[in-house]
Amino acid sequence: MSSYVSPIREPLITGSKSYHDITEDLVSPTEKVPSASWVIGFVLAISALAVGLFCIAWTIWHGIGTWNLNRTVGWGWDITNFVWWIGIGHAGTLISAILLLFRQKWRTGVNRAAEAMTIFAVICAALFPGIHVGRAWVVFYFFPYPNTRGPLWPNFNSPLLWDLFAISTYFTVSLLFWYTGLVPDFATVRDRAKGFRKKIYNFLSFGWTGAAKHWQRWEYLSLVLAGVATPLVLSVHTIVSFDFATSVIPGWHTTIFPPYFVAGAIFSGFAMVLTLMIVTRKILNLQDYITIAHIESMNKVILATGTIVGVAYLTELFIAWYSGYVYEQFAFFNRALGPYWWSYFGMMACNVITPQFFWFRKIRRSIFWTFLLSIVVNIGMWFERFVIIATTLARDYLPSSWSYYSPTWVEMGIYLGTFGLFFTFYLLFTRVAPVVAIAEVKSILKSSGNQYSGKAEPGHHHAHVTVDPHFKSYLNKSSYDYARDDKGNLSYGSTAPSRTSRLVEDEGEKSSTASTLASTASTLAADDLKKIEGIGPKIAEALNASGITTFAQLSETTTERLQEILDTSEGNYKGNNPESWAMQAKLAADGNWDELKDLQERLDGGKFA
Amino acid sequence: MQNNQVWVGQKDLTNDQEFLNSIDREFKDDITTLEKAPELQGNRRDFLKMLGFGVTAATVAAGCDIPVKKALPYVTKPDSIIPGVATFYATTFVEGGDVEPILVKTREGRPIKIEGNDSLSKTGGTSARAQASVLSLYNIKRYRQPQLKDGTAFANSDWATIDKKVKDALKSGNKVKVITNTIVSPTSKKALASLSENYSGVSVITYDPVSYAGILDANLADFGKRAIPTYHFDKAKVIVSFDADFLGSWLPNGDVSADYIAGRDVSDVTAVKMSRHFQVESHMSLTGSNADNRVLVRPSQMGSAIAYLASKIVGGGNVQLPPTIKSKLDKVENQLRAAGSKGLVVSASNNSAEQQLVNAINHAIGAYGTTVSMNNANLSRQGDEADLGALITELKSNAIDVVIFNQCNPLYDYAGAAALANALTKVKTKIAIGYADNETNAVCDIIAPVNHYLESWGDAQPTEGTIYLQQPTISKIFDTRQLEEIIMGWTGDTTQAVDFLKTSWKTDRFATQSKYLSPTSFWENSLKKGGQVSTSGTAASYNGGGISGLISRVTKPSTSELEIKFFETSQMANGQSADNPWLMEMPDPVARTSWGNYLAVPVNFDGTRTMVGLNNLKDGDLVEVTVGDIKYTVPVIQQFGMHPETVALALGYGRSNSSPVANDVGVNVNASLPIVNGRAQYFSDRVSVTNQIGKEKSFSCVQYHHTYGVKGTDEATGETINADEAATVFVTYGAVQQGFQGAITDRSVIYNSNVKDLTDSVKHLKEKRGHAQYLNDQGMYPYEEYMEDKYSQGHHWGMHVDLNSCTGCGACTVACMAENNVPVVGKREVSRHHEMTWLRIDRYYYGDVENPNVVYQPMMCQHCDNAPCENVCPVNATNHSSEGLNQMTYNRCVGTRYCANNCPYKVRRFNWMDYTTADLFPANQPAMGLDTEIPFYGDDLTRMVLNPDVTVRVRGVIEKCSFCVQRLQEGKLTAKKEGRRLQDSDVKTACAAACNTDAITFGDMNNKGGDLSKKLKSPLNYIALEEINVKSSVTYTMKVNNRDITLDA
C-alpha cells in the first residue's frame, strides 16, 4: 500500500488534522468576510492594474515611441517581462504534472496555488506580445485563420508564431488542469454553502456528486492532463528560447538556450511559488498544510535548478571563449564588463550565488531566508532576461549602431500593471477557491499526517515502527467504498479519498476511530515532556492535547507552532518562551541527557539567557 | 381573341389558348405566392426595428471622423503630362555662388526630386544641399505675397503697392545700396545694372556668408584677376591643403570630389595610382577625414605653417614654429618638391598674404597650368565683407537712403552683424528681396518675395567658361517674382523674365559658340541640355614677387591656452538652408550629429580604459563657451583628430528669425568671428570652456561608438593597444584592464590597408574571406544550388560600395530621403535613436588615437539572399523577391520589430510614432521637437514633395531600403516597352545617382558585362559580416590609405 511512509520522512500535514479540520481550514477563507490585509492588498493590486491599463492605453494611442526602445534595441522591458512572466508560470505546471507523475506527495500542499499562479502569470505574459507590436489592432494577422488575402498565412518559420501556439496550448492545458482539480473542491464548498452561493458553486462543480465513477474519471483525466502538460513544461520555454536561439545575433544564437531557459523558468517559478505561499500560509493560517517540509522541498528544487542555470551561464562563457568567434566572445565580454555590467552582476549574484545558500539546512528551513532568497531569485531571473535581451541588442555586430536603452515611465507602468493584474487575480482566487487542494491533501493525510507518521518512538529507542493493532483494523475497516460527509452522514460529497489510493474513506468527526487512534498512539509513545525546562504539567498537557507527546515530535515543532499552542490553550503562559524547547527535545529524543543538562544549566526558565 | 393582324409571335398568330390566357394574366405567378416569399415576410414592427437599427448604425458610423484627403483630377489634362510618368527638366541649382547643373524630376507638375545632370557635370552627382533644395520650394514659411511693415509686424500687401513704394524710395538722388551674396548669373547682374541705369546713386555690395576675400585679393595681387583658380585634383600627386575643406564646404565641390577621387585609383591593386593628401588643420574636417596624413596645428599657427612651407620651397624668410610641426612640414615639403608640377597646395585662409604664399608655392613647384588654373577661373565667390564694414561707416553718417538686401542675411552671417544692425536703424527705407523670414528681412520695411529657383528662369556662370541655364519646373506657387522681374518692376521695364533671359542669351552667348547656326536652335538646345560649356577663359599669369614681405603679414601664432575654430559643415554651410528639415536632420558627416552645433573637443586615451575629453567632457555634456565677450551654452561632442589645444564649433546654426525648424537650434557663432582688416577670421584665441554644467536633453548624435581600432599606449605595459577596445570596458571587477583586444578590429565590417601593405592586406582579406566561405559552405542547404534555382534567370540585383571613393559627404542620404519619402523625425526623436534614414554613412576612426584616419561606410539594407529578417517575421511582412530583393510589405507589418533585432546591419527602421501623419490618430504625431503645431509632412504644401511612387508609411511598421524598387519597376517597364532586356546601367538607385564620386554602383549581378560585374572583380572587395552567412548582396571594398607613416614619428 502506498500509504507506507519511511519513518524518517517528515509529516506533510501537521497539527493532527482530522478530515473535518482540513475541510474547515481550507474552505473557511472563502466563507469569511475578507480580512483587512486582504482588502488593502486588493486595493493596491487594483491600483497597480489601473496604472498598467493607463500605460497600455497610452502606448496604443501614442505609439511605441512612448517607450525608449530604439533602432538598435527593438525589445526591452516588454519582452523581458514577457519571458519573465512565462518563466514564473512554470513551477505550477511542474508541480501539478511532473510531480504528480512522480508521486511526490508534498505537491498536494502547493499545487493549487502554483497552478493558479501559472495561469495568472501566463495571462500577464501574453499581454506583452499583444501590446508591444507597432499596430496592435492588426495583431490578428498572427493567427492562421481562413482569409480572403490569397489566402495569406502566417510565416510558419517564425519562432514568434511557434510562441503563439506554444503559449496558447500551455494556457489551455494549464487552465483545464487547474479547473479539473478544482471541481471536487468546489463541490465541497458547495456542500457547505447556502443560497445563491450554493448555486454558483453547484454550477462551478459541474454537478459533482463524489460518486466512485466521478472519482475514477477524475483520476484518469488528471493523469491524462498530467501527461499532456509534462511535455509542455519543457516545450513552452524551449520555444520561447527559440525566439532568441534561432536568430543570428551573438549572445542569442546559442544552442544551450532551450534547457537553460527551462531550468531558469522552473527556478524562477519555484521562487515565485515560495514568495506567494509564504505570505499565503501566514495570512490564511495554512502552516499545517504548507509546512517547513514543503518549503524545504521547494528550496531543494531551487537549489538544483539554480545550479543548472549557473552551469549554463558558465558554459556560455566557456563556449564563447572556445568558439574563437569574436562576436560571441565580445557579446559575453560586454555583458560582464560593458555598460550593462550591473545587470550581469545582478544576474550572477542573484541566480548563481544566492541559491547556493540552500545547501545549508537551516537556511532551507528558515522562513525568513527562504522568503528573502525567493525574492532575490525573482529579481535575478528578471535580470537574466534583461541581460539576454537588452544588453545583447545594445552592442551587436556593427559598432556604429551600438546604443543604450533605459525604460520610460510607460514601460515601467506596464510592468507594474502586470503585477496588479497578477495579484488581483490571485487575491480573488484566494477568496473563491480553496488555496490548497482539499481532496488531494485529504488523500495523503493518512500517510503523511503527523499523527500517522514520523518518529513516533519514545525516548532514545530507535528504529522500529510498530503499527498499532487498532490502526490495522482501522485500515481494514476503512476499505469500504463509500464516503461520509463531515456530519457523518453517508453522502456523495467531496470529503473524499485520494487520487492515488482512492479507497480510504473518512469517518468524520463523529467517528471515534481517529481520535482513539491518536490517543492510543500517544499513550503508547508518550515521553515525560516535563523534563524539558520551561514545561510544566499544564503545558505538557496542552502539548499532549495538540498531539505532541514525544520528545521527537516536540523537537520537530517550530517555535511559532508551540507559541500558538500556548496562546490557544487555557491558562496564562505569557511568561513561557518555547524557543529552546525543540532544541532540548532534540537532545532528549537522541538520548543526549548530559548535553541536555549542560544546556539547561545555561537556560533561564527555558529561555536563552 | 386576337383578330387584328398585328402579332408578336407564332403563338399570337395561331391564337394559342395558353398564350391568350397568359395575356390576361400579366403577372404569371400568383401574387399571393409572392407574399409568402420568406424574404419578404415582415410587418410594421420589423420595419421599425430595421429603421431603428439602420439609423443608429448610420449615426455611429457617421460619428467616426474620417479625414478628408484632397485629390483633384485634371479638368483639362496638359498635353505634356502623362499622369504617373515623370518629366525631367534640365535646370541649375544656385545658392549664393554654389552652382550645380541638375535635372528636376516632376510628377503631375510637381518637382519632387533633384538629379545630377551628367551631361554637364563629371559624374552626374549632386550635393546634399542641392538634393534638399526641392524641399525648400515647399517651405511652409516662405513668403506668399509682398509684405509691408506695419508698425513692428508685417502685413500682406501686393506688388503694385510695394513697387510704387520702392520706386518712390529709389528716386534719383537718393543713395541706394544693394547688398547681395555673390551673383553668378550674368542675367541677374544685368538686371541689377539696369537698376543703376534707371536710378542714380545705386551701388552694389557683394559679400559671401563665408568669406573668400583673402584668396580673391591674393589672386588680384598675383594675377590681376579677382577670382579663385580652378583646381585639378585628378592631376595632383601630392595635395597639401591648409584647412581647405574642398570635399566638404569649401567652394562648390561636385566636380572637385570627382577629380579628387579620380586621382586615387585603386581599381588595379598591382598598380595603385593614388595621390597623397596632406591636410594641415586644427579640427577634423570632412576633407581632413579623407586625407592620408593630417598635420595638426593650432588655428593661429596656420599662417606660420603656410609661411614655413613657402620659405622652404620658395626660399627666404624665417618662420617660428614648434619643431614637431616643422619636421612634419619638412617631410611634406620633400614630397611636394618631388611631385613638382603634380603638386597642389590649397588654403582656406582669409588672410591674403597667406594666400599669396600659397600662390607662391604653387608657382614655385610649377603647379599652375597642371593642377591649378587661373585661366578658366572659378567665379563662385566674388564678395568682400570689408565693403560691409565700410557700409557701416557710411550708414552711421546718414549717407544712405535706401538699402536693398538681395536674398542675403548679413544680420546673421556677417561677423559685424550687431554693428550693421545698429547702423541700419538710420536708413529710411530697407527693402528685402527675400524668400522666407530671416534675421535681415525682419528689420526691413518692404519685402519683395522672390521665386524659388525651381520657379524661375535664369542662368549661372560658375566658372568663366561655363554657363548653365535655369528654367521653371513648376508655375509659381505663390504671388512671387524672380529677381529680374522684381527689379524690372522697379525700373518700369515690362519684359518677361524669360524674354529678358532669352535676349541676353542670344546677344551675349550666341556669339561665343559656333555649333548652332541660329539663335533659336542654340537657345532651345542649350535649354534642353541645361546650359553651355565652353573652355574659353581669360588667360592670367603669375606676377607675384618675393615672399619675405608676405611672411611678415601672416597671422601671428597665439600663445593662449586654447583656441576655437569656426567651420562650415557640408550640409549647413553658414545657415542659408537651415530651415530645410532634411538638412537639419542630416547628420554632420564627421561628427554624426544633427539638429544643432556641438562643441567639438579634443579627446585622448588615458592609457587604461577611458577616452578623456578636454576638461573631462563627455558626449552630450553641456558647457559654457566664452568667446571674447560672448557666452554660449552648447553640448559637447568628443572629436577625434583635433589639435589638443583647439575646440571647434560649426557656423550656420542658432538662427533666431527663421522657420521653427531652424530657430534656436544650436548657437550662432558668427558674432564671435574676429574681424581683421575688415575680413572675418574663422578662429579665435580668446576662448575658454567650462567644465560640464549639465546634460543636453536631446543629444542628437546618430552614432555613439565612433572608432574601429584606434591605437593608443597602454599605461601599465607601454604596449600599443587598441584604445577603443580598452574603452569598451565599463567596470573591471579588478580584472580586465585593456578591454578585449580584437573586439572591434577582428570584425569583418571594415578592412583597411596602407598602400604599402596592399599585397599583404589582399592576402589577409582573401584568407579571412576564404575562412568565412568555408564555414558557410558547411551548411545543410548548398547555397549554389539555391542560387542556381532562384536567381540564374532574370535579374539578381546587387550593389557595390567603394569605400575608397566615398568621401562621406552625405548627398546620398538626402537623396534617399527625398526619393523614398523618408520622414523627418526631429531633434528629440533623433536623440532617442529614432531616426528613420534608410541609408546612413557610418564613420569610423582608425589608426593613431591622436591623429586617426577615417573610413566612411554607407550602410543600407544589404538585401541578404539568406536574410535573417525574413524568417523571423511571424506574418510574412518581409520576404524575398525572385530578383534577390528583400521586400517590405508595409500593410502586412504588425510591428514586432523582430526583424530589426535580427538584422546584423541594423538598417531596419521602425515608425515609432506617426512621423508622416499617415495615421488616423492625430495624437501620436511628434512635432519635430520645435514647433508643436505642425509635424513634418503635416501640411499640404510640404506633402507636395512626396514621391507618389513610394508608399508613405504609417506608424507601427518597419521600413528600410528597397534598392529603390520603384525605379527598378519603371526601368523594367521602359525596357519592356522598348522591347529589350533591361541593362543594369538603365536604372540607378537614388543614392548611386546622387554620388559625385560614383562610390555606389548598382546593377544586375547576372549581367556579366555590366558596370557592377566589373566592380565585383576587385580583390579588395569584401562582404560585411560574411561569416554569418546571410549572403548579402552589397559588396564593399577595402579602404586603402596612402598615409606616410614617417610623419607619425
Side-chain angles (χ1 to χ4, degrees), chain A residues 111-186:
Chain A
N111 71 334
R112 167 71 43 74
E115 285 169 38
M117 200 186 80
T118 298
I119 288 154
F120 306 148
V122 172
I123 291 171
C124 291
L127 187 70
F128 287 100
I131 60 161
H132 93 293
V133 297
R135 301 198 297 164
W137 46 96
V138 292
V139 86
F140 65 89
Y141 287 174
F142 270 57
F143 294 96
Y145 66 99
N147 61 67
T148 53
R149 300 186 189 87
L152 186 53
W153 292 99
N155 179 8
F156 291 102
N157 289 330
S158 170
L160 284 190
L161 194 71
W162 310 341
D163 253 8
L164 180 78
F165 296 133
I167 291 164
S168 53
T169 310
Y170 181 52
F171 180 73
T172 312
V173 171
S174 300
L175 190 66
L176 283 176
F177 207 161
W178 182 61
Y179 199 83
T180 306
L182 273 168
V183 169
D185 288 3
F186 277 147

Side-chain angles (χ1 to χ4, degrees), chain A residues 75-315:
Chain A
W75 291 345
W77 274 39
D78 49 352
I79 301 298
T80 300
N81 297 337
F82 160 70
V83 180
W84 187 76
W85 276 117
I86 285 279
I88 297 288
H90 269 63
T93 326
L94 184 100
I95 290 170
S96 52
I98 294 185
L99 297 189
L100 171 67
L101 296 181
F102 287 166
R103 302 278 187 249
Q104 290 296 307
K105 288 179 185 169
W106 63 267
R107 60 174 275 286
T108 55
V110 291
N111 71 334
R112 167 71 43 74
E115 285 169 38
M117 200 186 80
T118 298
I119 288 154
F120 306 148
V122 172
I123 291 171
C124 291
L127 187 70
F128 287 100
I131 60 161
H132 93 293
V133 297
R135 301 198 297 164
W137 46 96
V138 292
V139 86
F140 65 89
Y141 287 174
F142 270 57
F143 294 96
Y145 66 99
N147 61 67
T148 53
R149 300 186 189 87
L152 186 53
W153 292 99
N155 179 8
F156 291 102
N157 289 330
S158 170
L160 284 190
L161 194 71
W162 310 341
D163 253 8
L164 180 78
F165 296 133
I167 291 164
S168 53
T169 310
Y170 181 52
F171 180 73
T172 312
V173 171
S174 300
L175 190 66
L176 283 176
F177 207 161
W178 182 61
Y179 199 83
T180 306
L182 273 168
V183 169
D185 288 3
F186 277 147
T188 306
V189 180
R190 171 200 64 192
D191 292 347
R192 294 161 56 95
K194 289 190 182 76
F196 186 59
R197 205 164 159 265
K198 191 179 187 92
K199 280 189 179 155
I200 293 174
Y201 281 102
N202 191 32
F203 175 78
L204 291 175
S205 57
F206 291 169
W208 179 270
T209 61
K213 207 66 189 170
H214 284 182
W215 283 114
Q216 187 199 19
R217 286 180 178 147
W218 183 78
E219 289 284 342
Y220 272 112
L221 182 57
S222 301
L223 208 59
V224 168
L225 284 174
V228 174
T230 300
L232 286 178
V233 177
L234 304 177
S235 75
V236 175
H237 233 58
T238 298
I239 287 171
V240 168
S241 81
F242 285 168
D243 287 350
F244 309 104
T246 60
S247 78
V248 298
I249 303 300
W252 281 13
H253 182 76
T254 314
T255 47
I256 200 177
F257 267 11
Y260 153 24
F261 266 54
V262 171
I266 293 165
F267 181 50
S268 66
F270 271 87
M272 192 57 135
V273 172
L274 278 172
T275 313
L276 284 179
M277 294 320 292
I278 285 172
V279 177
T280 310
R281 77 195 272 274
K282 180 75 190 164
I283 290 177
L284 299 182
N285 237 341
L286 299 174
Q287 286 93 334
D288 288 332
Y289 303 95
I290 302 161
T291 62
I292 296 291
H294 287 92
I295 288 167
E296 186 177 11
S297 296
M298 289 194 275
N299 281 339
K300 283 175 182 167
V301 176
I302 285 182
L303 176 59
T305 50
T307 310
I308 294 172
V309 167
V311 170
Y313 294 163
L314 299 179
T315 309

Side-chain angles (χ1 to χ4, degrees), chain A residues 61 67 69 71 158 243 397, chain B residues 747 832 834-835 872 898 923:
Chain A
W61 187 250
W67 298 0
L69 299 171
R71 51 136 212 246
S158 170
D243 287 350
Y397 287 106
Chain B
R747 292 169 191 241
R832 301 174 70 206
H834 287 177
E835 76 273 11
V872 299
Y898 197 175

